[in-house]
Amino acid sequence: PALGGCRFIEYDNETDALVDALRLARGMTYKAALAGLNHGGGKSVIIRPRTGFNRTNLFRAFGKFIGDLRGRYITAEDSGTSIEDMDVVRSVTEHVTGVDPARGGSGDPSPFTALGVRRGIEACVRFALGRQSLDGIHVSVQGVGHVGYHLCRELHAAGAQLTVADVDPLKSERAQREFGASIATLDEIFSIECDVFAPCALGSALNRTTVPQLRAKIVAGAANNQLAVPTIGEDLRQRGILYAPDYAINAGGLVNVAQEVIGYDADKARARTMKIYDTIYEIAERAQKAETRTDIVANKIVEERLAKL
């Protein structure tokens, strides 16, 4: 079955919501295949109402819709949704993951996503900088919400130096208080001189405007659909910036909830997430040998697997 989270944010119109769902679902197809998970790619979006609404009733209705799909799609958390929302969904259908551990679920998948991103950053740092650890490595993190916060925690524990930016100043201040991070504005974060730029907000962070500003040697973050258009990957390569394909590096959360589908075991989920290091390093090596973009190499690995199904 397809497996992927439910995004609950404001959209200007239904077309934008549909395009986002399709892009995210395609990314989940590639993410699952590259991670060796036997799940199709799926995502759902709910257009967040601009006026008052009953959240419990909304997610109960969503759960009934998921139930009508009879297991062809299993939902989970994503931007704008929470464990509590998934618990409401679980009250009307079993086809949901990321519910409260007290109810047999695995809880918030964000820490596993962050773990995988940290492992991917370690692989990039070794490949591009010849460093075996993150001690002293400067990472600029764009977005310190659920995943970005946990990534900062992982990086801080590994000895990295942090600069953060978020649309919510309270989240930046929390990272400063807990991890000693420096705070930049949303406009400044792209041009900070650093070793690694980690996009952890919504998609399309890497575009014709932002890429020329980058002063990082590596781009490796948790956001989905980081490249506004695929050709941005070539712009990064031409500038000598190593790019960790988003769906390859941020697969930890999916790995975690996929384990929940077959019987949750945190140790197994963690062990599989740790292997993201090997995946990212292999992609970087193959791209270097082929003198091509890392995202092209990642796509080729996926397509080779899908062709065998």
Side-chain angles (χ1 to χ4, degrees), residues 4 23 47 62 67 102 122 137 139 141 153-154 165 169 182 208 241 267-268 283 286 292:
R23 289 186 70 202
I47 301 174
F62 174 64
E122 288 174 335
I137 294 294
V139 184
V141 182
R153 186 185 62 185
E154 291 273 350
S182 299
R208 301 294 183 200
I241 299 173
D267 291 337
K268 288 182 179 179
I283 289 170
R286 288 178 58 165
T292 190

Side-chain angles (χ1 to χ4, degrees), residues 15-255:
T15 298
D16 287 352
L18 177 60
V19 169
D20 199 26
L22 290 168
R23 289 186 70 202
L24 290 165
R26 182 182 186 276
M28 293 301 288
T29 299
Y30 279 59
K31 187 182 299 187
L34 194 59
L37 301 173
N38 294 319
H39 283 285
K43 278 280 188 176
S44 50
V45 303
I46 300 175
I47 301 174
R48 186 183 181 96
R50 298 182 187 274
T51 56
F53 61 95
N54 185 307
R55 193 176 184 108
T56 298
N57 288 347
L58 188 152
F59 278 94
R60 187 176 290 120
F62 174 64
K64 291 178 180 178
F65 168 74
I66 296 300
D68 288 343
L69 296 177
R70 299 181 181 181
R72 286 176 288 180
Y73 167 64
I74 301 169
T75 196
E77 295 171 56
D78 200 273
S79 299
T81 54
S82 66
I83 294 176
E84 292 75 20
D85 297 325
M86 295 305 107
D87 285 344
V88 173
V89 174
R90 184 58 176 261
S91 71
V92 291
T93 180
E94 63 180 349
H95 304 302
V96 55
T97 58
V99 298
D100 193 306
R103 304 187 64 175
S106 62
D108 183 4
S110 299
F112 279 86
T113 304
L115 170 63
V117 174
R118 189 258 293 173
R119 290 290 287 158
I121 289 175
E122 288 174 335
C124 289
V125 165
R126 177 187 163 200
F127 185 86
L129 307 180
R131 297 277 298 276
Q132 297 296 324
S133 81
L134 297 182
D135 189 29
I137 294 294
H138 184 186
V139 184
S140 292
V141 182
Q142 180 217 21
V144 281
H146 285 304
V147 178
Y149 169 78
H150 288 292
L151 177 60
C152 286
R153 186 185 62 185
E154 291 273 350
L155 295 170
H156 176 68
Q161 174 190 347
L162 301 172
T163 299
V164 302
D166 194 279
V167 66
D168 182 350
L170 294 179
K171 292 178 180 178
S172 294
E173 290 166 10
R174 182 186 184 189
Q176 182 184 55
R177 185 171 61 252
E178 296 185 16
F179 310 124
S182 299
I183 298 176
T185 67
L186 293 174
D187 291 331
E188 293 171 341
I189 195 68
F190 294 97
S191 58
I192 296 292
E193 186 171 358
C194 58
D195 299 301
V196 182
F197 174 66
C200 297
L202 297 179
S204 299
L206 303 173
N207 53 57
R208 301 294 183 200
T209 300
T210 60
V211 167
Q213 299 177 47
L214 292 176
R215 300 172 69 192
K217 305 173 184 69
I218 296 163
V219 171
N224 288 309
N225 299 323
Q226 294 173 22
L227 306 180
V229 293
T231 53
I232 294 294
E234 182 61 23
D235 295 342
L236 292 169
R237 191 179 80 89
Q238 290 293 334
R239 293 197 56 202
I241 299 173
L242 175 61
Y243 168 61
D246 45 31
Y247 66 80
I249 196 172
N250 68 11
L254 178 61
V255 167

Side-chain angles (χ1 to χ4, degrees), residues 6-17:
C6 172
R7 178 165 289 188
F8 183 47
I9 62 175
E10 291 186 1
Y11 291 92
D12 289 336
N13 51 65
E14 289 188 13
T15 298
D16 287 352

